[in-house]
Every structure is written in C-alpha cells, then in structure tokens.
Amino acid sequence: MEFGQRDGRVAPRQIDALLPKEMAKRAERVGAEKAGQDSLSLLVLGILAGAFVAFGATFAAAVTAGAGTTSTPGLVKLAGGMTFSLAYVLAIVGGAELFTTNNLMVMAWAHGRLTTARLLRAWSIVFVGNLVGTVSTATLLILAGQHARMEGSVGAGLLGTAAQIDGLGLFDGFVLGVLGNTLLCLGVWLTYSARTTADRIMALVLPVAAFYVLEFEHAIAVMFYLPCAVLIDVMAQPDFWTLIDRQPADVTVSSFLRVLVSVTAGNVVGGGMLVALVYWFVYLRPGRL
C-alpha cells in the first residue's frame, strides 16, 4: 500500500500492478479456464498462435537480414529479439494458445483445479494446432516470396537458423529447451501482474528478446524453422540459390522429430517445473493461502 495526499489528508492509494501472490492466483485460475475450453476452440487458438510465431520469426529474419558481417552482432541479435517478440505479443495479448506457455497450466494442476487428463488433453490439442499454424503460415510466406526479399538474405537467415536447429543433439535440444521456456514462461508470468495492455507488452518484450539473443529453443520455433527450410528447398527458384550462394537445407523427418521431441521435453521441464511448480510451491501450496 502506498499513500498520497489529497485535500490536506493522507489517503491510501492502491499499488497498480498485482503482487506475486495475486499473480499466482490469477495464473492458476487462467490455467484452469484455458484447459476448460472446448476442443475446437483450443485447436483454432493453437493454429493462430502458430501463425503468430511464423510472423514473428520472419519479421526478425527481415530485420536482421544481411547483417552477418557487422561489427556489433549483439545489437543485431537484440534487434531480432525485439522484433521476434511480436509473436508473443500477438499470442498473449490476443488470447491465442501456445503449447510452451500453456506449460504454466501446471500451477492449476498442482493445486487440484485441473486433472492430469484435462491437462494433457489441452496440451495435445494446442500442440497440434501450433504445428498446423506454423507450417501453413510458412507455406503462405514462401508462396508470397518472402524468402527472396532483400536479395535472398531473408531466406538465407531462415535457412541458417534452421540449419543450426537441425544440428542439435538430443541433450543440447533438451537443455536449450529448458532454458528457453523458462525465460518465455517467466515473461508470461510477469503479464499476470499487469492491468493494462501496455503493461503486458512491456512485461513480455525483454524475456522474449533474451530468449532470441541467447539462442535458446522452444518447440513452436522448431515447428516453423525446419518445415520452412524444407519449403524453401522445394519452392525457391534457381536464381535464389545463386544469390545466397549456399546449398539447400538437409532437414529430414527423423531429424525434425529428434529435435522437436528433445526441445519439447525441455520446454515442459523449464516452463512446467522451473516456473509453474516453483511459483505454486512458494505461493499456493497448502497452508500458504
């Protein structure tokens, strides 16, 4: 509680943002409400969120296009991270559903407001929706020629990121997934303190930018970058490859599944355990309410 002066009197004034204990109650309530949605709504909202990640990733590739030889690579990555945050602003403020941030539903599950079956049902439907959204939007973006913009440097950036992700081993993918979704879910956790749209956007941008700059991983990005590389390989004109002077990506179904499974497992640990369970234990465990 803060105090201000009005008409010569000291009057109490409420702190505008919610404090962590109230944030935990909101996160638990929101998680239960999200899981209670009908299957079709969850699927459509998952598709939307997948599309938003595709937009954010392509936006970041366009902003950082052709900057590979710069003397300030950190600033270039920061610009990419700030623009990639578009994906999470659209998804979180717009109410779409991402599998990765839905790992925060573990708070409602741990508190007994959500059964294991309903938790896994919601995660599964949203996961499929995210995959449909990323792949279908990637297809539209490549059909629209976005990969060929700026003399092919946008496509080169997307292919470079895809090659980096495709080269991850099981352990690397898992650890980067843990770290990545810890940051992303912390960003969403901060939005539970917000009372305005501006608050929510400001809370999201830095954690999402840090995720991008530090090159951590999350499953929905894997769902976009690797299929996008395959689509570029299939659809790009010969002059595109001449412009960028590189070979097509070598993404296979087995490599896609290897990376997706390891990163997804890491995301569940990072978001579900290191964020959701920790905050549940601190603020919502029996005897703390």
Side-chain angles (χ1 to χ4, degrees), residues 65-122:
T69 59
T70 180
S71 60
T72 55
L75 292 178
V76 172
K77 293 291 288 184
L78 178 60
M82 298 293 280
T83 48
F84 180 76
S85 67
L86 170 70
Y88 273 73
V89 171
L90 290 173
I92 302 305
V93 177
E97 301 292 349
L98 285 163
F99 165 79
T100 44
T101 56
N102 277 357
N103 291 162
L104 288 172
M105 289 179 180
V106 167
M107 294 185 77
W109 171 81
H111 208 59
R113 291 193 59 176
L114 192 58
T115 65
T116 301
R118 290 188 70 80
L119 175 70
L120 295 179
R121 164 191 166 273

Side-chain angles (χ1 to χ4, degrees), residues 139-158:
T139 303
L140 291 174
L141 288 165
I142 304 309
L143 285 172
Q146 289 298 305
H147 63 289
R149 292 184 64 241
M150 303 181 192
E151 298 184 342
S153 55
V154 174
L158 293 170

Side-chain angles (χ1 to χ4, degrees), residues 28 35 53 60 86 93 104 115 135 182 211 213 225 228 243:
E28 177 219 349
V53 169
L86 170 70
V93 177
L104 288 172
T115 65
V135 174
T182 297
F211 158 85
V213 171
Y225 283 108
C228 185
L243 279 172

Side-chain angles (χ1 to χ4, degrees), residues 9-233:
R9 295 171 297 169
V10 176
R13 185 175 64 215
Q14 293 290 336
I15 295 174
D16 188 47
L18 295 184
L19 295 177
K21 187 172 183 178
E22 295 303 315
M23 290 162 61
K25 293 177 182 177
R26 176 184 278 188
E28 177 219 349
R29 184 181 71 253
V30 169
E33 290 172 354
K34 283 174 176 281
Q37 296 179 93
D38 64 273
S39 298
L40 183 58
S41 294
L42 281 172
L43 180 65
V44 172
L45 291 171
I47 292 172
L48 285 175
F52 297 158
V53 169
F55 286 138
T58 307
F59 185 25
V63 167
T64 59
T69 59
T70 180
S71 60
T72 55
L75 292 178
V76 172
K77 293 291 288 184
L78 178 60
M82 298 293 280
T83 48
F84 180 76
S85 67
L86 170 70
Y88 273 73
V89 171
L90 290 173
I92 302 305
V93 177
E97 301 292 349
L98 285 163
F99 165 79
T100 44
T101 56
N102 277 357
N103 291 162
L104 288 172
M105 289 179 180
V106 167
M107 294 185 77
W109 171 81
H111 208 59
R113 291 193 59 176
L114 192 58
T115 65
T116 301
R118 290 188 70 80
L119 175 70
L120 295 179
R121 164 191 166 273
W123 281 1
S124 300
I125 295 170
V126 170
F127 191 88
V128 171
N130 290 164
L131 180 60
V132 173
T134 51
V135 174
S136 58
T137 307
T139 303
L140 291 174
L141 288 165
I142 304 309
L143 285 172
Q146 289 298 305
H147 63 289
R149 292 184 64 241
M150 303 181 192
E151 298 184 342
S153 55
V154 174
L158 293 170
L159 288 169
T161 302
Q164 182 176 330
I165 293 173
D166 190 52
L168 293 175
L170 287 172
F171 180 75
D172 292 337
F174 176 78
V175 174
L176 291 172
V178 171
L179 294 169
N181 211 31
T182 297
L183 263 179
L184 295 175
C185 283
L186 283 172
V188 176
W189 163 257
L190 292 178
T191 68
Y192 291 130
S193 72
R195 294 187 184 274
T196 70
T197 299
D199 294 347
R200 300 179 78 190
I201 293 172
M202 291 177 67
L204 280 170
V205 169
L206 281 180
V208 176
F211 158 85
Y212 184 95
V213 171
L214 296 174
E215 298 183 350
F216 295 154
E217 297 297 342
H218 73 126
I220 322 307
V222 174
M223 293 176 185
F224 170 71
Y225 283 108
L226 297 190
C228 185
V230 173
L231 290 164
I232 293 174
D233 292 351

